[in-house]
Amino acid sequence: MKKTIIDVARELNLSPSTISKIVNNTGRISPQTRERVLKYVKESGYVAMSNARKLSSKKSWTIGVIYSDISLVGFEHPFFSRILQSFKNHVESMGYDIVLIVSKLGNNELTYLEWCRNKKVDGILIVMGNINNPNIIEVVASDYPCVSTDIVMPNLHSIISDDAQGIKLGIEFAIKKGLKRISVVSGPLTVRSFNTRVQTFREEMTRRNLKYNEKDIHFTVGFAYEDGYRIGLEIGKKKDNIPDIVLTFSDVLAFGLIRGLEDSGLRIPDDVSVIGYDDIDFARHYTPALTTIAQDTEEIGLRAAKALLLSINEKQEKTQKIALVPVRLVERETTKK
Amino acid sequence: MKKTIIDVARELNLSPSTISKIVNNTGRISPQTRERVLKYVKESGYVAMSNARKLSSKKSWTIGVIYSDISLVGFEHPFFSRILQSFKNHVESMGYDIVLIVSKLGNNELTYLEWCRNKKVDGILIVMGNINNPNIIEVVASDYPCVSTDIVMPNLHSIISDDAQGIKLGIEFAIKKGLKRISVVSGPLTVRSFNTRVQTFREEMTRRNLKYNEKDIHFTVGFAYEDGYRIGLEIGKKKDNIPDIVLTFSDVLAFGLIRGLEDSGLRIPDDVSVIGYDDIDFARHYTPALTTIAQDTEEIGLRAAKALLLSINEKQEKTQKIALVPVRLVERETTKK
DNA sequence: TTGTACGCGTTATCAA
DNA sequence: TTGATAACGCGTACAA
């Protein structure tokens, strides 16, 4: 059976509290006993039972993760799941567990915050969320350490990709290749990153004195392949006015777009160049391999972990901080050489 | 602050134990008080604090998940993550939490079993694992309720796809389309499902009196796109002896294969038909859209959840059980009409 | 039918 | 420097 701290204490002729202090590195203990205990603990493989520990101490060594309001998006989401993966690797190496927050506990519906209090999580990571969700708002407004890799809100620390840079990279690339007529395919503007990118597109085009038409900025209703496909067909129709290159704001959308373009008789990249966004695995597996703006999910997850751990350990006042992680353009086959 | 069971008791002029009995539906309580308490509990949103509850009771309402020995495979794995997602949805609706088992707790390296005992998980799901891993063997040999959606071992309950059926479907399809020369691209035989499929292929071809050459069964060293690509090039080389159709044992491998074939100057499906395996999202997004053997991840996850919950609630003796979940062939564009 | 008292394994506080 | 004791919040025999 499992050893308890009492067993260890008895076998060492010490009191449980002494063991506890040593294991947790708290209080003053003589070097001799410390060493003796540490040695024994190591040999016997004693580990404090987590529930008891959590009950008695304040820390839970657990981080709550809000992965998606709309639980439609599963783990397999190629972008967010990579961020989570990276985050997880890092916090685990620091001894923290991850637990996905659901608004349901047994038979009770709980708000995220209630759920977190109940589980006594130490901090909260919002991998993706909706800024209008009261549950999210409540969490961010609470005194819980929070970090987000998606949304931006007052009093929230966000680690996100540099969306403006991505668009500038895209435009710069187009110009360098001599592709003058630039179109855009964006997802819904309710998503911050899409919004930023569209804004930046307008600004940058203007700043560079490049002509563009508002009609060249297309919006999809959703995030799916089919949404991109629809736009592809649409663009394909205006035979007289085909863009040289289209900047698409997600790889999945880009795949759909390309197929739509192809089904309209256009060849990629000979007739139209296409740039995606995200650089998910399939971007390089697609035929033709997709030129895309790569987001550094590894770095985002890592920095989110560091930021959250930091604010857990030295509770600072909550302020809005936004850390921008650089993106880069990966040239493949969907753009003209 | 959070309400405790004592608060509730005091406010209702009852004792904590009475509340506990009612909430947990144990012991005999008069209908009146029961109703009164239930009503109050609902209104006030009281939920037992999970750590305390776990400490004092035997159940933890938590299921440990072994997702991967080699932590190389992330959440975004298109196949296993869908199974996990489905499993999660189901057990959550039954009030269970999921926690990913890592062999590390704080600074201590633990075996999976030690970890589970420490966290007092109620049961274990092996989404994917390695039958030679001592950690896995120990867990399966223990008295913990275990279910796997991947590996097959003595005394383990496994919910897996009907691999034999998948191959039969593939061969049948080929014959129906008049595609005589059938090749196979398999992953490493150390993986059970690949092994079964290869075996079935041999048996079925023999049973149907179809000719095949052992050289037509190709093996990759890994699971990646590049592994498939390499085989594609290889097949493409033997100009005189191109198969009519190739059964590939994963979609990712199939994508690589197709590209390899195309880079050898072969057209899909005009020169060669290709069938994948899994039916991940991208199978239908690929160009050409991939004909493939679809595994029912939703069903696998669901049945795994039911099986595990069942064996948690009525501890039966551990025996080997293997539940086969049907697959189906989805015809798309990589096979001749 | 309800309440009392104790145990679950730890940590924190305070005394020795 | 170490140890005794209470407290964490809940479940559960057992007593009332």
Side-chain angles (χ1 to χ4, degrees):
Chain A
M1 210 49 257
K2 235 194 103 43
K3 262 203 177 61
T4 74
I5 201 170
I6 298 181
D7 298 328
V8 176
R10 190 174 32 227
E11 283 157 38
L12 251 38
N13 266 328
L14 288 168
S15 80
S17 50
T18 305
I19 311 296
S20 173
K21 283 172 199 157
I22 293 174
V23 170
N24 297 300
N25 223 327
T26 152
R28 6 189 125 278
I29 299 291
S30 76
Q32 298 95 320
T33 33
R34 145 162 283 123
E35 192 158 349
R36 187 161 68 99
V37 171
L38 247 28
K39 181 158 171 260
Y40 182 84
V41 162
K42 190 161 199 172
E43 284 169 0
S44 66
Y46 163 76
V47 178
M49 186 144 297
S50 67
N51 293 317
R53 177 186 212 156
K54 290 177 192 172
L55 178 59
S56 165
S57 75
K58 292 311 160 195
K59 265 190 98 110
S60 74
W61 293 96
T62 302
I63 289 169
V65 172
I66 298 176
Y67 188 76
S68 120
D69 299 324
I70 39 157
S71 76
L72 297 171
V73 178
F75 288 131
E76 74 270 23
H77 189 289
F79 178 64
F80 290 112
S81 73
R82 293 184 81 112
I83 291 179
L84 180 56
Q85 182 76 34
S86 162
F87 179 87
K88 175 173 177 288
N89 287 343
H90 191 67
V91 295
E92 260 171 11
S93 78
M94 303 296 281
Y96 284 82
D97 266 344
I98 268 189
V99 46
L100 293 174
I101 302 178
V102 288
S103 48
K104 197 165 180 169
L105 195 61
N107 296 317
N108 305 79
E109 293 287 342
L110 265 53
T111 69
Y112 289 162
L113 185 58
E114 286 168 344
W115 196 95
C116 288
R117 288 211 200 289
N118 186 296
K119 296 273 184 182
K120 285 209 175 141
V121 306
D122 293 331
I124 300 172
L125 171 72
I126 304 173
V127 178
M128 78 209 238
N130 180 328
I131 54 170
N132 297 315
N133 182 334
N135 259 334
I136 299 266
I137 295 173
E138 186 188 34
V139 162
V140 173
S142 78
D143 51 357
Y144 258 115
C146 280
V147 165
S148 162
T149 57
D150 179 28
I151 57 177
V152 168
M153 288 175 70
N155 298 329
L156 179 60
H157 193 351
S158 306
I159 318 282
I160 55 178
S161 275
D162 190 339
D163 287 293
Q165 185 206 5
I167 297 309
K168 289 177 189 163
L169 246 33
I171 294 177
E172 197 177 321
F173 177 88
I175 293 171
K176 205 177 293 169
K177 299 288 179 179
L179 305 167
K180 303 270 187 195
R181 294 152 88 180
I182 308 178
S183 265
V184 162
V185 174
S186 169
L189 283 186
T190 47
V191 175
R192 174 196 49 75
S193 60
F194 294 148
N195 205 345
T196 306
R197 294 177 204 168
V198 169
Q199 294 286 7
T200 306
F201 177 76
R202 294 193 181 111
E203 288 166 19
E204 191 66 7
M205 293 297 274
T206 308
R207 195 179 69 74
R208 287 174 177 266
N209 281 322
L210 296 171
K211 272 183 296 188
Y212 77 96
N213 195 314
E214 277 296 325
K215 281 186 197 150
D216 295 331
I217 306 180
H218 302 84
F219 295 99
T220 63
V221 291
F223 310 86
Y225 179 88
E226 288 71 20
D227 294 300
Y229 183 76
R230 224 164 286 133
I231 305 285
L233 252 31
E234 201 177 296
I235 293 180
K237 265 188 210 134
K238 33 186 173 182
K239 284 289 179 201
D240 50 330
N241 192 24
I242 303 292
D244 297 324
I245 185 168
V246 14
L247 306 182
T248 315
F249 289 180
S250 97
D251 287 345
V252 174
L253 248 25
F255 297 141
L257 177 85
I258 289 173
R259 187 65 188 253
L261 257 17
E262 287 176 341
D263 284 0
S264 309
L266 265 15
R267 288 160 310 161
I268 315 296
D270 297 336
D271 298 326
V272 189
S273 290
V274 174
I275 297 188
Y277 213 110
D278 289 343
D279 195 24
I280 64 178
D281 274 347
F282 272 90
R284 56 177 226 282
H285 294 164
Y286 198 73
T287 307
L290 187 68
T291 296
T292 191
I293 310 288
Q295 303 204 57
D296 195 344
T297 52
E298 177 67 29
E299 178 72 10
I300 293 175
L302 178 68
R303 280 168 68 169
K306 282 185 181 166
L308 187 53
L309 261 30
L310 189 72
S311 81
I312 286 175
N313 293 323
E314 38 191 80
K315 289 228 177 169
Q316 317 132 342
E317 198 161 346
K318 282 184 146 184
T319 59
Q320 186 180 57
K321 270 178 274 182
I322 302 179
L324 259 28
V325 177
V327 297
R328 57 182 221 288
L329 192 150
V330 182
E331 184 174 357
R332 298 208 179 90
E333 304 170 344
T334 54
T335 44
K336 270 219 180 88
K337 285 291 166 200
Chain B
M1 212 48 258
K2 235 197 101 41
K3 262 199 177 61
T4 74
I5 201 171
I6 300 182
D7 298 326
V8 176
R10 191 173 33 225
E11 282 156 37
L12 252 36
N13 265 328
L14 290 168
S15 81
S17 63
T18 306
I19 311 295
S20 172
K21 283 172 199 157
I22 293 175
V23 170
N24 297 301
N25 223 327
T26 151
R28 1 188 129 282
I29 299 290
S30 75
Q32 298 94 320
T33 33
R34 145 161 280 122
E35 192 159 345
R36 188 160 68 100
V37 171
L38 246 28
K39 180 157 171 262
Y40 182 85
V41 163
K42 190 160 200 175
E43 284 169 0
S44 67
Y46 164 76
V47 178
M49 187 146 296
S50 67
N51 293 318
R53 178 186 210 153
K54 289 176 192 172
L55 179 58
S56 125
S57 76
K58 291 311 161 196
K59 265 189 100 107
S60 74
W61 294 96
T62 302
I63 288 169
V65 173
I66 298 176
Y67 188 77
S68 119
D69 299 325
I70 39 158
S71 77
L72 297 171
V73 178
F75 288 131
E76 73 270 24
H77 189 289
F79 178 64
F80 289 113
S81 74
R82 296 184 78 110
I83 291 179
L84 179 55
Q85 184 76 33
S86 162
F87 179 88
K88 174 173 177 289
N89 287 342
H90 191 67
V91 296
E92 261 171 11
S93 77
M94 305 295 281
Y96 284 81
D97 266 344
I98 268 188
V99 47
L100 292 173
I101 303 178
V102 288
S103 48
K104 197 165 181 172
L105 194 62
N107 296 318
N108 304 80
E109 293 286 341
L110 265 53
T111 70
Y112 288 162
L113 185 58
E114 287 168 344
W115 197 95
C116 288
R117 289 209 199 289
N118 187 297
K119 296 272 183 182
K120 284 209 176 139
V121 305
D122 293 330
I124 300 171
L125 171 74
I126 304 172
V127 178
M128 77 210 236
N130 181 329
I131 54 171
N132 297 315
N133 182 334
N135 259 334
I136 298 266
I137 295 173
E138 186 189 35
V139 160
V140 173
S142 78
D143 51 358
Y144 257 116
C146 281
V147 165
S148 162
T149 57
D150 178 30
I151 59 177
V152 168
M153 287 174 71
N155 298 329
L156 180 59
H157 193 352
S158 305
I159 318 282
I160 55 178
S161 276
D162 189 339
D163 286 292
Q165 185 207 5
I167 296 310
K168 289 177 189 163
L169 245 33
I171 294 177
E172 197 177 319
F173 177 88
I175 293 171
K176 203 177 295 169
K177 299 287 180 181
L179 304 167
K180 302 269 188 196
R181 294 153 89 180
I182 308 179
S183 265
V184 161
V185 175
S186 169
L189 283 186
T190 46
V191 175
R192 174 198 48 76
S193 60
F194 294 147
N195 207 345
T196 306
R197 294 176 204 168
V198 169
Q199 294 286 6
T200 306
F201 177 76
R202 294 195 180 109
E203 288 165 19
E204 190 67 6
M205 293 296 276
T206 308
R207 195 181 69 73
R208 286 174 178 267
N209 281 321
L210 296 171
K211 271 183 297 187
Y212 77 95
N213 196 313
E214 277 297 326
K215 279 186 199 152
D216 296 332
I217 306 180
H218 303 84
F219 295 99
T220 62
V221 290
F223 311 87
Y225 177 88
E226 287 71 20
D227 294 300
Y229 182 77
R230 226 165 284 134
I231 305 286
L233 252 30
E234 202 177 295
I235 294 180
K237 266 188 209 132
K238 31 186 175 181
K239 283 289 178 201
D240 49 330
N241 192 25
I242 303 293
D244 296 324
I245 184 168
V246 14
L247 306 182
T248 316
F249 288 179
S250 97
D251 287 346
V252 173
L253 249 25
F255 297 140
L257 178 85
I258 290 174
R259 187 63 190 253
L261 257 18
E262 287 175 343
D263 283 359
S264 308
L266 265 15
R267 287 159 310 160
I268 316 295
D270 297 334
D271 298 326
V272 189
S273 289
V274 174
I275 297 188
Y277 213 110
D278 289 344
D279 195 24
I280 64 177
D281 275 346
F282 274 90
R284 58 177 225 282
H285 294 164
Y286 198 73
T287 306
L290 187 68
T291 296
T292 191
I293 310 288
Q295 302 206 58
D296 196 344
T297 51
E298 176 67 30
E299 178 73 9
I300 293 175
L302 177 67
R303 280 167 69 168
K306 282 185 182 167
L308 187 53
L309 261 30
L310 189 72
S311 82
I312 286 175
N313 293 324
E314 38 190 80
K315 290 227 176 171
Q316 316 131 344
E317 199 161 347
K318 282 185 146 184
T319 59
Q320 185 180 59
K321 268 178 276 184
I322 302 179
L324 258 28
V325 177
V327 297
R328 58 184 223 287
L329 192 150
V330 182
E331 185 174 356
R332 297 207 180 90
E333 305 169 343
T334 54
T335 44
K336 270 218 181 87
K337 284 291 163 197

